[in-house]
Amino acid sequence: MNYTTQMDAAKRGIITKEMEIVAKEENINIDLLVERIAKGQIVIPANKNHKSLKPCGIGKGLSTKINVNLGISRDCPNVDKEIEKVDWAIKMNAHAIMDLSSYGKTEEFRKKLIDRSTAMIGTVPVYDAVGFYDKELQDITSKEFLDVARKHGEDGVDFITVHAGITNATADVFKRNKRVMNIVSRGGSLLYAWMELNKAENPFFEYYDELLNICEEYDMTISLGDSLRPGCIDDGTDASQIAELILLGELTKRAWERNVQVIVEGPGHIKIDEIKANVLLEKKLCFDAPFYTLGPLVTDIAPGYDHITSAIGGAIAASCGVDFLCYVTPAEHLRLPTLDDMKEGIIASQIAAHVADISKGVSGAEEWDLKMAHARQELNWEEIFKLSIDEDKARTYRKESTPEFSDSCTMCGKMCSVRNMNRVMDGKDINILRSED
């Protein structure tokens, strides 16, 4: 049977091969999965031209997914270095990779990325437009912005971030409500500048129906970007952010009417006690569409450690219902991440996602921790390593500090509580000061 998108198929009751893969991977009833895709509560970003893709679901009742940001820039244009990061991100089981390239051989990098990636690929067409046309921002036409989105669809991009929510009306809200950090979204700030320079409406909003035509043709999911997300906790949950969120809900419904799948992006920097309210607002105003957050970062004072501030916020956000976490590296706000920065960011996000999955009762999440508890109780180091979220690091730490006795570590030695409780429970003597027999 013919269908245009995963949502179109779901509305018709058609089970696609992508749905079958996701249902098996997530251990979810296939009929329930189809129902939630039809309602827009779950998406399977799967461009028809991304042939190497391993389909992955994002949304209600599924495990929390993580995204990795990569890409070349004017200061760091080395394609090969970014491809090395891509290979590591896939090896480390990232669910999605966003190409944020903004300069140089962007098309070359994007095509290499799509050809080799089993993970979902996302892009931000407005970033690419300046380099693609080799024009100043003001001189790019509305049609040219849309043509870049089409090019990304042809290339096989699975989801595009489109900042359609920064309009003349929401920009007026921003102008009337002073912020500390103004607009920190790169895509949002570029479009705001284009609108101001050209005294025109946001092309992605004005020609949203044409954008939907492109997305429907390639089954490219729209990730509605939060142009007015807060860039510091003082700006969190303000009038600008909420005005845009209301509009994103309306754009979500318009996309669903065309069977285009939607993800809604959220903050950003917010206070820890505002996270639950932000998730509730998105789920209500955007009709339970999958929610995608950058962190959120819950303090502004930790440059060099923002993977930690992000993981704190991400764990809480996902436990409240966020479906998709964009990783943050230690280099956030400071530089393009190195390979090691990327690895740390992935691990931090994976921890946050797993913590939330335990809370949400995701199938298999708590069982993983129970297996680790049994391995620790048995002092089964090999099993502990295999169950670790970062097996290499766990093995390295153990190897770098070898204890005298294998059933302990160099911190506690023979005073190890697990070792001694195992002995007592087995009716054996506790031998701490005396030599072993």
Side-chain angles (χ1 to χ4, degrees):
M1 296 178 68
N2 292 326
Y3 57 88
T4 57
T5 68
Q6 295 293 322
M7 175 174 262
D8 179 41
K11 287 179 180 179
R12 298 190 197 188
I14 300 170
I15 297 175
T16 67
K17 67 179 186 298
E18 290 84 5
M19 294 177 196
E20 290 176 342
I21 291 169
V22 170
K24 183 177 180 181
E25 183 75 19
E26 298 280 350
N27 193 27
I28 186 175
N29 178 276
I30 188 73
D31 293 331
L32 179 60
L33 178 68
V34 171
E35 176 187 335
R36 289 178 176 173
I37 293 172
K39 290 180 178 178
Q41 296 169 339
I42 290 176
V43 299
I44 302 178
N47 187 310
K48 296 170 183 177
N49 292 335
H50 188 178
K51 305 303 182 183
S52 61
L53 176 69
K54 178 183 176 183
C56 182
I58 303 168
K60 187 174 182 178
L62 306 184
S63 59
T64 307
K65 304 306 187 298
I66 71 159
N67 170 72
V68 171
N69 289 339
L70 298 171
I72 54 175
S73 68
R74 179 179 289 273
D75 291 314
C76 302
N78 191 311
V79 170
D80 291 337
K81 280 190 176 181
E82 290 305 292
I83 289 296
E84 182 184 9
K85 293 180 192 174
V86 169
D87 292 339
W88 269 101
I90 294 168
K91 180 181 177 181
M92 295 178 73
N93 300 314
H95 303 104
I97 297 172
M98 283 204 78
D99 173 13
L100 304 188
S101 295
S102 58
Y103 176 80
K105 298 178 180 179
T106 57
E107 185 175 1
E108 175 190 336
F109 177 69
R110 184 171 61 252
K111 287 184 173 181
K112 282 186 177 182
L113 172 60
I114 292 166
D115 285 344
R116 72 200 300 133
S117 178
T118 54
M120 300 175 284
I121 299 302
T123 59
V124 188
V126 70
Y127 293 178
D128 192 29
V130 175
F132 184 78
Y133 293 113
D134 193 23
K135 286 183 177 183
E136 286 300 332
L137 178 67
Q138 182 179 3
D139 299 328
I140 300 172
T141 67
S142 296
K143 182 180 182 300
E144 286 173 332
F145 278 122
L146 290 173
D147 286 345
V148 170
R150 176 174 290 281
K151 180 70 174 99
H152 288 202
E154 291 173 354
D155 289 346
V157 171
D158 301 298
F159 65 101
I160 51 171
T161 290
V162 177
H163 298 85
I166 179 74
T167 65
N168 288 331
T170 56
D172 283 343
V173 175
F174 160 70
K175 292 173 184 177
R176 292 195 304 267
N177 294 271
K178 185 172 175 58
R179 282 178 150 189
V180 175
M181 290 291 295
N182 295 316
I183 298 175
V184 298
S185 161
R186 183 169 24 161
S189 64
L190 288 170
L191 284 168
Y192 178 82
W194 185 92
M195 291 160 60
E196 290 290 300
L197 291 167
N198 288 286
K199 305 304 178 188
E201 182 58 277
N202 180 348
F204 290 112
F205 177 74
E206 185 174 4
Y207 302 103
Y208 190 61
D209 287 332
E210 293 182 31
L211 178 66
L212 294 179
N213 289 339
I214 295 168
C215 292
E216 184 181 24
E217 181 178 351
Y218 298 102
D219 196 1
M220 191 161 53
T221 299
I222 287 184
S223 186
L224 290 170
D226 50 342
S227 313
L228 296 170
R229 70 172 181 263
C232 65
I233 60 171
D234 192 71
D235 292 339
T237 323
D238 70 350
S240 298
Q241 178 192 337
I242 303 307
E244 182 180 33
L245 184 61
I246 292 170
L247 178 55
L248 296 187
E250 296 174 7
L251 295 175
T252 295
K253 290 183 74 173
R254 285 176 60 184
W256 288 347
E257 288 168 2
R258 297 289 302 279
N259 297 319
V260 173
Q261 301 182 102
V262 175
I263 300 166
V264 177
E265 298 186 15
H269 296 236
I270 52 175
K271 296 176 183 177
I272 199 167
D273 60 333
E274 294 180 5
I275 292 175
K276 185 175 182 179
N278 271 260
V279 178
L280 176 63
L281 281 170
E282 187 277 342
K283 291 294 182 179
K284 294 287 283 187
L285 294 173
C286 299
F287 313 101
D288 218 14
F291 196 15
Y292 175 30
T293 58
L294 179 68
L297 284 75
V298 291
T299 182
D300 302 326
I301 63 164
Y305 297 91
D306 276 332
H307 59 312
I308 297 174
T309 63
S310 169
I312 293 168
I316 295 169
S319 70
C320 292
V322 163
D323 308 285
F324 195 20
L325 298 176
C326 185
Y327 92 150
V328 173
T329 77
E332 188 76 11
H333 307 111
L334 300 171
R335 67 176 187 203
L336 188 80
T338 65
L339 178 59
D340 286 340
D341 293 332
M342 185 198 75
K343 290 178 181 179
E344 286 194 56
I346 290 175
I347 294 297
S349 293
Q350 287 175 330
I351 293 169
H354 179 68
V355 167
D357 286 349
I358 295 171
S359 174
K360 290 192 283 192
V362 169
S363 177
E366 193 168 354
E367 287 78 4
W368 184 2
D369 285 67
L370 183 59
K371 288 178 182 177
M372 178 63 88
H374 283 303
R376 283 176 167 165
Q377 187 273 325
E378 295 164 3
L379 294 169
N380 184 339
W381 296 104
E382 189 60 32
E383 188 68 8
I384 289 170
F385 298 147
K386 290 178 181 177
L387 289 167
S388 298
I389 203 163
D390 186 351
E391 180 178 347
D392 291 342
K393 190 168 189 176
R395 287 185 182 277
T396 298
Y397 275 31
R398 177 74 177 173
K399 186 177 181 180
E400 286 177 348
S401 189
T402 305
E404 182 181 359
F405 303 101
S406 61
D407 58 350
S408 65
C409 74
T410 54
M411 181 173 182
C412 297
K414 292 173 72 176
M415 286 189 181
C416 172
S417 57
V418 177
R419 174 185 188 272
N420 290 331
M421 282 303 300
N422 286 346
R423 286 175 173 255
V424 168
M425 298 296 284
D426 289 339
K428 295 179 180 177
D429 184 22
I430 300 296
N431 180 357
I432 296 175
L433 300 178
R434 291 174 283 117
S435 299
E436 293 291 321
D437 294 332

